[in-house]
Amino acid sequence: MTLRQKLLLVALCTLALPVAGWLYVRQMETLLREGQAQALVASARAMARSLVVVDAPLPPAGPAWYVQPSNVPITIDGYGDDWAPLSPWAQPLGQHARLMLAEDSHWLYFYVDVRAGQRRRADAGDRLALTADHLIVSIASGDDAQRYLLASAAPGPTTAIALDPEAGVLPDRINAQWQEDGGGFHVEFRLPRGLRLDHFGVGVHLAADGDPEPLTADNRPLLDFSPALSQELSRLAPDGVRVRVVSPDGWLMAQSGKLALPDQPLAERPGWFASLIYRSLVATRLDDAGAWAEDVPRIDLPEVRRALEGKPSTAWRVGEARGSVVLAAAMPVTIRGKLHGVVLLEQPSRAVPLLANRALFGLLIVSFGVLLVAGGVLLLFATRLTFRLRRLRNAAERAQDNDGRLDGPFPLTDATDELGDLARSFARLFEVVGGYTDYLRTLASKLSHELNTPLAIVKSSLDNLDHAGLPAEAEPYLARARDGVARLGALVRAMSEASRMERAIAAAEAEDVDLAEIVRGCADGYRVLAGGRRIDTSLPDEPIRMHVSPELMAQALDKLFDNAVSFTPADGWLRVTLSPTPDGADITLANQGPSLPAAMQGRLFDSLVSLRDKATPGEAPHLGLGLYVVRLVAERHQGSASACNIEGGVAFTLHLKGMARQRLA
């Protein structure tokens, strides 16, 4: 990973700013909602107290039977087809039955569905009716009350017989329909609205249950939607708030108001994207609006249940209009410690989502702007830092290619930061390395000059000893001394030759020649010297014209050939290759032999470096100057020399660009 990539990764830490802002906006939205909820709870509490003060027709405390309005006529036939729209809100009646009540402008309808696996049948007029499956129906209107026995020995029409004489205006018989199926029976009947019933009870007595308590019914008040209570709510309800009153059983008793939002210009209304952002990123919790439908007769919600327990509660849900929310507050209504219902206030609003979205978008814009600026500044800083480091690296690499000698002032040495300290340390290091390299370069010429005089003295002394007539036992020692002097003289001459070669290479003149002809001529001459070794050539068909020194090219090839032959077996192979490059040409001489050590591949072309074994007596010494001369020739032609291992041998390559052309003054 580069330095710029690392700094950009560090710049991503600034993403904590928009995340913190997002959390702050959520907290702010929560606080706004809490404030609005407290205000609506206060309104609901005031509404509940006002209903008690004005003596509004509130539902009675305790359980009751709820009568639903019927939008279609109901046919009394004992079947539940007409009751299908009302069946989701059927009221439980004991463990085995359920009850539904409906009304229209003339009649009050009753439908009882009883589930019984075993049946015992008898008519209401039969003396065994109380021991069979039967219903006890109780109705009351003011002070008048009556009970009826309802039973049937077979499906079809039946009559409920009154059990209490002198019941006033209440009828003594009720016509009903009794139908059965595989799982139980259904009873359906109706009573006129003119009876003004206010209580109703029904008891289910099944013979399979044993000895049930006879002639009992679950009497409860009858409740229905109250227009009078709704009118009272309309006078007390605030604008833009829908108010509903539910009974202690959760039945809707009255309703007033609509979920109306204030008029707002179309351009200022939130779009679908803003609504999505609010619901997914900002809103802490929003309930589904399905359970809060306006047309349901019973409101069974957690907030209503908590209010029925005497605890005010609030809830937020998604509004019907785009980008809106609805706040609901449920407040219990109590009179002298008895719960008479719950007041439910619902208030739509676009203010909270709008403020939260504006805060979030503004914060995100500022945060991402800061992120872009910080990222840009860090990128510029990383680019400048990378550029300075690359200058240091390039200067160090140039010094390495130039044997540790600097080709100019080291960059960044005048900087006052840590990179300046590093650059000054590198500059001092390369000055020391360059001085040591220069010393090694001139060591051979210095040694050859300093050794000539003592070597001549030793040689003349040996000649004088030879004429002095030494005894025979001293002759071997004299011969060894002469041999050592000869080898030492060869070393001095080699070092002198290397010094002269450096000066000759520096003073060589170039001309435009065909490099392919030079390589071909040298390769043909090497065949005679190679003995049994095979020499292959790979030369281009087209001439390669370059501005080079032919003598230096021949000397470099001679040094490479001499080095390759010394390591090639007697029956091995050598291969000479010339190939053009975009800026010059490459000459490669490969030979069969041992591979180069990995640590020596970059030092072979240095002065006084050799991989040959120690020379045997009578053999010319090797000072490691041959490949050094090859490198000097390559550098004189603005190129370089390299060596690498190949399959079965080693390859030495001269990368040439040609000598610079001299301009006449």
Side-chain angles (χ1 to χ4, degrees), residues 96 115-120 131-133 205-212:
H96 306 287
R115 300 291 90 194
Q118 299 179 1
R119 295 294 317 284
R120 183 180 296 178
T131 61
D133 299 336
H205 301 271
L206 299 177
D209 292 342
D211 296 328

Side-chain angles (χ1 to χ4, degrees), residues 387-519:
F387 175 73
R388 298 175 70 194
L389 291 175
R390 284 180 177 175
R391 288 183 62 191
L392 290 178
R393 182 203 62 185
N394 295 337
E397 289 182 352
R398 288 196 305 271
Q400 293 176 17
D401 295 338
N402 203 20
D403 291 337
R405 293 194 301 267
L406 296 174
D407 55 356
F410 205 80
L412 305 180
T413 54
D414 56 346
T416 58
D417 56 1
E418 288 78 2
L419 286 182
D421 296 338
L422 180 62
R424 287 186 287 272
S425 299
F426 272 132
R428 290 190 295 269
L429 174 63
F430 282 116
E431 286 177 1
V432 175
V433 173
Y436 180 68
T437 303
D438 291 336
Y439 169 76
L440 292 179
R441 285 177 176 273
T442 59
L443 180 62
S445 60
K446 292 177 180 179
L447 287 176
S448 63
H449 177 72
E450 296 295 334
L451 290 176
N452 277 327
T453 300
L455 186 61
I457 295 174
V458 173
K459 185 177 180 182
S460 62
S461 299
L462 290 176
D463 291 339
N464 292 331
L465 287 175
D466 189 21
H467 294 293
L470 294 175
E473 59 271 12
E475 290 294 333
Y477 300 106
L478 184 60
R480 292 177 185 175
R482 289 183 181 276
D483 181 62
V485 170
R487 294 181 62 188
L488 187 58
L491 289 174
V492 172
R493 287 191 298 274
M495 289 187 291
S496 300
E497 181 183 356
S499 300
R500 291 193 299 271
M501 180 64 69
E502 291 183 12
R503 292 191 295 270
I505 291 173
E509 295 183 358
E511 55 184 281
D512 292 331
V513 297
D514 182 8
L515 193 59
E517 289 296 329
I518 297 176
V519 176

Side-chain angles (χ1 to χ4, degrees), residues 593-652:
S595 301
L596 296 175
M600 294 296 297
Q601 292 186 20
R603 300 177 50 201
L604 283 177
F605 296 93
D606 293 342
S607 178
L608 302 177
V609 176
S610 176
L611 291 179
R612 290 185 175 89
D613 296 333
K614 185 180 296 184
T616 58
E619 186 178 342
H622 300 284
L623 298 181
L625 297 173
L627 294 180
Y628 173 65
V629 172
V630 171
R631 193 193 76 177
L632 293 178
V633 172
E635 292 176 351
R636 185 68 177 87
H637 290 82
Q638 304 183 79
S640 61
S642 63
C644 63
N645 293 320
I646 61 174
E647 185 177 358
V650 181
F652 293 84

Side-chain angles (χ1 to χ4, degrees), residues 1-16 371 374-382:
M1 184 179 291
T2 64
L3 188 61
R4 277 185 293 183
Q5 292 174 341
K6 291 179 179 179
L7 286 178
L8 285 178
L9 185 62
V10 172
L12 292 180
C13 295
T14 56
L15 286 176
L371 179 63
V377 170
L378 287 177
L379 181 61
L380 291 177
F381 173 74

Side-chain angles (χ1 to χ4, degrees), residues 130-430:
L130 295 179
T131 61
D133 299 336
H134 64 279
L135 301 179
I136 299 297
V137 177
S138 172
I139 60 176
S141 175
D143 296 333
D144 297 332
Q146 181 61 274
R147 292 181 303 163
Y148 300 88
L149 174 63
L150 182 57
S152 178
T158 187
T159 301
I161 301 175
L163 299 177
D164 299 325
E166 299 179 0
V169 298
L170 298 178
D172 55 357
R173 291 178 180 271
I174 298 177
N175 295 323
Q177 287 285 338
W178 186 296
Q179 299 294 340
E180 298 182 2
D181 56 23
F185 58 90
H186 321 286
V187 179
E188 186 178 15
F189 59 92
R190 67 181 182 182
L191 294 172
R193 287 286 300 274
L195 295 178
R196 301 183 181 277
L197 301 181
D198 51 19
H199 282 74
F200 172 78
V202 60
V204 179
H205 301 271
L206 299 177
D209 292 342
D211 296 328
E213 184 179 353
L215 306 179
T216 59
D218 187 5
N219 289 299
R220 300 181 186 179
L222 288 178
L223 301 179
D224 59 358
F225 189 83
S226 174
L229 182 57
S230 299
Q231 186 177 3
E232 193 68 36
L233 292 179
S234 64
R235 290 196 295 266
L236 299 175
D239 294 337
V241 176
R242 183 172 67 184
V243 183
R244 289 188 278 187
V245 175
V246 298
S247 69
D249 290 332
W251 297 104
L252 180 64
M253 299 300 300
Q255 177 175 310
S256 177
K258 297 290 184 181
L259 296 178
L261 289 166
D263 293 336
Q264 197 173 17
L266 185 61
E268 297 182 4
R269 296 179 184 177
W272 66 269
F273 181 72
S275 302
L276 179 63
I277 290 296
Y278 175 75
R279 295 182 59 182
S280 58
L281 295 180
V282 180
T284 53
R285 186 180 65 86
L286 291 176
D287 297 335
D288 189 14
W292 298 83
E294 183 178 0
D295 55 351
V296 294
R298 189 179 186 192
I299 304 175
D300 186 14
L301 294 169
E303 291 75 22
V304 175
R305 289 195 293 269
R306 284 196 294 269
L308 291 174
E309 295 174 359
K311 302 175 182 178
S313 61
T314 59
W316 289 86
R317 72 174 190 270
V318 181
E320 298 176 358
R322 178 187 296 173
S324 67
V325 293
V326 177
L327 170 63
M331 179 63 62
V333 181
T334 58
I335 301 177
R336 290 185 291 275
K338 293 184 178 181
L339 181 67
H340 283 258
V342 172
V343 174
L344 187 63
L345 270 65
E346 299 169 82
Q347 183 179 26
S349 174
R350 281 198 182 103
V352 172
L354 188 60
L355 291 176
N357 280 346
R358 286 179 179 175
L360 180 64
F361 285 137
L363 186 62
L364 289 180
I365 290 174
V366 173
S367 300
F368 282 110
V370 172
L371 179 63
L372 290 178
V373 172
V377 170
L378 287 177
L379 181 61
L380 291 177
F381 173 74
T383 302
R384 182 175 179 273
L385 185 60
T386 304
F387 175 73
R388 298 175 70 194
L389 291 175
R390 284 180 177 175
R391 288 183 62 191
L392 290 178
R393 182 203 62 185
N394 295 337
E397 289 182 352
R398 288 196 305 271
Q400 293 176 17
D401 295 338
N402 203 20
D403 291 337
R405 293 194 301 267
L406 296 174
D407 55 356
F410 205 80
L412 305 180
T413 54
D414 56 346
T416 58
D417 56 1
E418 288 78 2
L419 286 182
D421 296 338
L422 180 62
R424 287 186 287 272
S425 299
F426 272 132
R428 290 190 295 269
L429 174 63
F430 282 116

